[in-house]
Amino acid sequence: MAPVLKAVPDHWRALFATAVYSGLRKGELIGLRKVDVDLTSRLLTVARSYDRETTKGGRTEVIPIAAELVPYLQDAINASPSELVFPRPDGSMMSEGVQPELVLRRALRKAGIVTGYRHVCRRKDCGHREPASDAVLRRCPKDNRRLWVVAECRPIRFHALRHTTASLLLMSGANPAAVQRIMRHSDPRLTMGTYGHLAPDYLKREIDRLVFGQTGAPHQWRSEAVAAVGNAPFVTPLLKGQAIDASGHLGDSLECEGLPPLTAERATGVEPATFSLGS
């Protein structure tokens, strides 16, 4: 994101940095007030959207301020002539119709984050244009004029920066529970359902918490487990005669006094044997 932030005009840069580092929505950024920002404690209170005294989630929440965001917010607060952090030059609130996504798209083009290029003839009434994957000089086939190069980027919305925040956090190994709190999702399933595919390394680390100290081939694990069951103290007092053999079957002499012969209810795996006394 550093090249994009660098390409954003100076008077927009602090707002875009706050969007990227905090995941705030457009209305929450425009309605942000100086009293909502505690740079000493590095805490940001999200309490309103535009001039409405509520957010999309309908509740006030506090999120941490990233260390790298502090100077951006400090500059914005110092430059603002009103109680708002990101006002118009005269201090008034920006309207809901403002389109920062146009600024974002220009910054993407300037940073070279594009999907391709259009080479266009600027001669009046010519209309020649051709798509290309590069910006190499081309000439119009009609009059040999030099074609004007226009970089193209995705028709991205400003709200995409919020998704960028969550995506980058998860891909850098952040705990999904923490990402949920930062993004202020009411349901953790929304966080993982939307962004979970971006955290494969985190999920691998979590599944590797299942460690049983097993070594060797899987068929050896079964034999070890069966032997452990045969020698378990809760099995031997119930049995008369031979214990479970290495294959997991009961010996012929296994009986319980006054009860029908014991038989294995089902084949055992790593779980303890389950026995049946018949009907």
Side-chain angles (χ1 to χ4, degrees):
M1 286 301 300
V4 178
L5 287 176
K6 186 176 180 180
V8 170
D10 293 344
H11 61 282
W12 280 104
R13 189 169 295 124
L15 183 145
F16 273 75
T18 306
V20 172
Y21 281 105
S22 69
L24 265 63
R25 302 176 178 90
K26 183 176 78 168
E28 295 165 346
L29 290 162
I30 290 176
L32 190 66
R33 299 177 185 175
K34 295 177 181 178
V35 295
D36 299 327
V37 182
D38 184 346
L39 294 180
T40 303
S41 300
R42 282 176 48 197
L43 294 174
L44 191 153
T45 301
V46 188
R48 56 189 61 83
S49 180
Y50 298 106
D51 57 355
R52 296 186 289 274
E53 294 297 322
T54 184
T55 64
K56 180 180 178 181
R59 60 188 182 275
T60 297
E61 295 182 87
V62 178
I63 61 173
I65 297 174
E68 289 188 1
L69 177 57
V70 170
Y72 289 103
L73 285 171
Q74 187 67 72
D75 288 346
I77 290 172
N78 293 341
S80 171
S82 70
E83 65 176 358
L84 298 169
V85 178
F86 306 114
R88 288 191 179 109
D90 62 0
S92 63
M93 182 178 291
M94 287 187 277
S95 71
E96 295 188 30
V98 68
Q99 295 181 296
E101 59 270 18
L102 301 182
V103 179
L104 175 58
R105 294 172 194 172
R106 286 194 293 269
L108 288 172
R109 294 188 189 100
K110 188 174 180 180
I113 304 175
V114 299
T115 59
Y117 300 87
R118 279 184 294 118
H119 295 256
V120 182
C121 181
R122 303 182 72 179
R123 183 174 65 86
K124 186 178 180 180
D125 299 328
C126 177
H128 175 77
R129 60 181 60 199
E130 56 186 80
S133 59
D134 58 66
V136 176
L137 172 65
R138 287 171 170 76
R139 294 190 175 276
C140 179
K142 297 181 180 179
D143 57 16
N144 203 38
R145 285 175 177 265
R146 181 174 178 174
L147 296 178
W148 182 43
V149 181
V150 181
E152 295 185 316
C153 66
R154 289 174 51 207
I156 194 170
R157 298 186 303 147
F158 183 79
H159 191 76
L161 292 180
R162 177 172 166 83
H163 296 301
T164 298
T165 304
S167 301
L168 292 177
L169 282 171
L170 285 170
M171 287 190 292
S172 65
N175 189 312
V179 177
Q180 177 209 343
R181 291 289 302 277
I182 293 170
M183 301 306 295
R184 294 167 288 121
H185 290 151
S186 58
D187 189 338
R189 290 175 297 183
L190 177 59
T191 306
M192 291 309 295
T194 305
Y195 306 105
H197 65 290
L198 299 173
D201 290 338
Y202 169 79
L203 294 178
K204 288 176 183 176
R205 290 195 300 272
E206 294 303 296
I207 197 64
D208 283 344
R209 293 177 184 273
L210 293 175
V211 178
F212 304 110
Q214 297 290 353
T215 58
H219 68 273
Q220 294 175 317
W221 303 352
R222 182 178 184 278
S223 298
E224 294 169 2
V226 169
V229 170
N231 295 323
F234 66 87
V235 174
T236 52
L238 296 176
L239 304 179
K240 178 182 178 181
Q242 184 180 358
I244 302 173
D245 64 24
S247 64
H249 300 294
L250 298 173
D252 294 337
S253 61
L254 277 175
E255 296 179 355
C256 289
E257 294 182 359
L259 294 174
L262 288 170
T263 57
E265 184 71 16
R266 65 178 186 275
T268 60
V270 296
E271 77 282 1
T274 301
F275 301 106
S276 172
L277 297 177
S279 59

